[in-house]
Amino acid sequence: MRVNWNTLKLSLLLATVIGLYGFSDYRSKQREIDDIEIKFLGDNTLFVTEASVNKLLIQNYGAVKNRAKEKLVLNTIEEVIQSNDMVKKAQVYFTVDGKLVSKIVQRKPIGRIESESKFYLDDSGKNMPLSKYHSARVPIITGKITGETLEDVYVILNYVNADDFLRKNVIGIHIAEEGNYQLKFRLENFVVNLGGVDNLNEKFKNFMAFYAKATKDNSLEKYAVVSLEFNNQVVCTKI
């Protein structure tokens, strides 16, 4: 019987590669974690610390360092990290040199509620607890806090944050009642009665026109209330 040496060589080569791969995979799984690296992504990185993440892992998962890779379930570790109220998303993976890397995106507060309960409103419109590590410089929300009014506040804050001038100058929102919101500006003494969250683009367009003219006339300090509640007009009350 004639032997096909090319086929035999190819089969032996394939078996060798599979064997080496299996051995390498086995050794990789048996290798212990040498180090843990925690990376915070984005600009919002002050509400969770590396130490607090390590403590969270130990409390909920046990010691990670010096454990074999095969004994670690990455999805479970991600779930443990994401159980922290300050964490928006976590991605965990192994490196070839035996390191466990966790990339963490923290939640972003856009407003701070000051009522019987104190908490942040994040950029997804959800309640976010205050952090013991950092206090965010965001507009303060006061007044009648309900689920419905916070939905409206979220709409207002999104509009404010999309505009450079408003983002830098609006420091507070007071909820006088449902459907009636007042804005406080950083350098001005007057209160802006916004009314509801309808027609925000038109209301702020009218306000910016008023603000530019009043700044030019040096008359901003004369006003106590600037109302945007009425259709296509700005009604001012002097001090």
Side-chain angles (χ1 to χ4, degrees):
M1 182 178 67
R2 186 176 181 181
V3 178
N4 190 327
W5 292 105
N6 289 332
T7 302
L8 182 59
K9 290 178 180 178
L10 182 60
S11 299
L12 289 173
L13 178 61
L14 183 60
T16 301
V17 170
I18 293 175
L20 289 174
Y21 176 81
F23 178 74
S24 176
D25 184 57
Y26 173 78
R27 288 290 301 274
S28 176
K29 290 180 179 179
Q30 293 300 312
R31 182 170 184 174
E32 295 182 346
I33 299 300
D34 295 329
D35 194 15
I36 302 173
E37 182 177 353
I38 296 173
K39 298 180 179 180
F40 295 107
L41 306 182
D43 299 328
N44 201 52
T45 61
L46 299 171
F47 299 99
V48 185
T49 66
E50 183 175 338
S52 65
V53 174
N54 284 325
K55 183 178 180 180
L56 184 66
L57 287 174
I58 293 172
Q59 289 175 338
N60 293 272
Y61 198 84
V64 174
K65 193 173 180 180
N66 297 326
R67 287 175 66 176
K69 290 168 62 175
E70 68 171 1
K71 295 182 179 180
L72 299 177
V73 182
L74 297 184
N75 287 343
T76 302
I77 297 176
E78 289 178 352
E79 291 173 0
V80 168
I81 296 174
Q82 288 173 172
S83 68
N84 186 298
D85 289 330
M86 301 297 176
V87 174
K88 184 175 184 178
K89 184 178 180 181
Q91 180 186 14
V92 180
Y93 60 91
F94 297 121
T95 63
V96 294
D97 57 349
K99 183 182 296 183
L100 180 72
V101 178
S102 175
K103 293 183 177 180
I104 298 174
V105 177
Q106 298 185 28
R107 295 172 68 184
K108 180 180 180 181
I110 58 174
R112 176 169 174 151
I113 284 71
E114 290 288 337
S115 62
E116 292 182 1
S117 298
K118 301 180 187 299
F119 55 92
Y120 290 121
L121 190 67
D122 76 1
D123 59 352
S124 296
K126 298 179 181 179
N127 294 1
M128 173 182 171
L130 302 183
S131 170
K132 63 181 179 180
Y133 301 110
H134 177 68
S135 180
R137 296 183 62 182
V138 292
I140 303 298
I141 316 302
T142 57
K144 298 184 178 181
I145 307 296
T146 67
E148 185 174 347
T149 58
L150 285 184
E151 289 180 5
D152 287 348
V153 166
Y154 177 65
V155 173
I156 296 170
L157 287 173
N158 274 335
Y159 191 98
V160 166
N161 287 330
D163 182 274
D164 187 61
F165 173 81
L166 295 175
R167 184 176 65 255
K168 292 178 179 178
N169 289 279
V170 174
I171 61 172
I173 301 176
H174 179 69
I175 308 169
E177 57 187 27
E178 289 191 8
N180 188 4
Y181 302 91
Q182 300 173 337
L183 305 184
K184 174 64 179 175
F185 280 68
R186 186 179 305 279
L187 299 178
E188 312 305 338
N189 293 322
F190 57 74
V191 173
V192 176
N193 279 344
L194 186 63
V197 296
D198 57 303
N199 301 319
L200 288 182
N201 191 54
E202 180 180 331
K203 289 178 179 179
F204 280 112
K205 181 179 179 180
N206 292 336
F207 172 75
M208 295 305 295
F210 153 78
Y211 193 90
K213 185 177 186 305
T215 300
K216 184 178 180 179
D217 297 340
N218 293 319
S219 60
L220 285 175
E221 60 185 19
K222 297 179 181 180
Y223 301 109
V225 179
V226 177
S227 179
L228 309 176
E229 301 171 81
F230 309 102
N231 291 335
N232 201 31
Q233 57 184 314
V234 178
V235 178
C236 302
T237 301
K238 290 187 176 181
I239 296 175

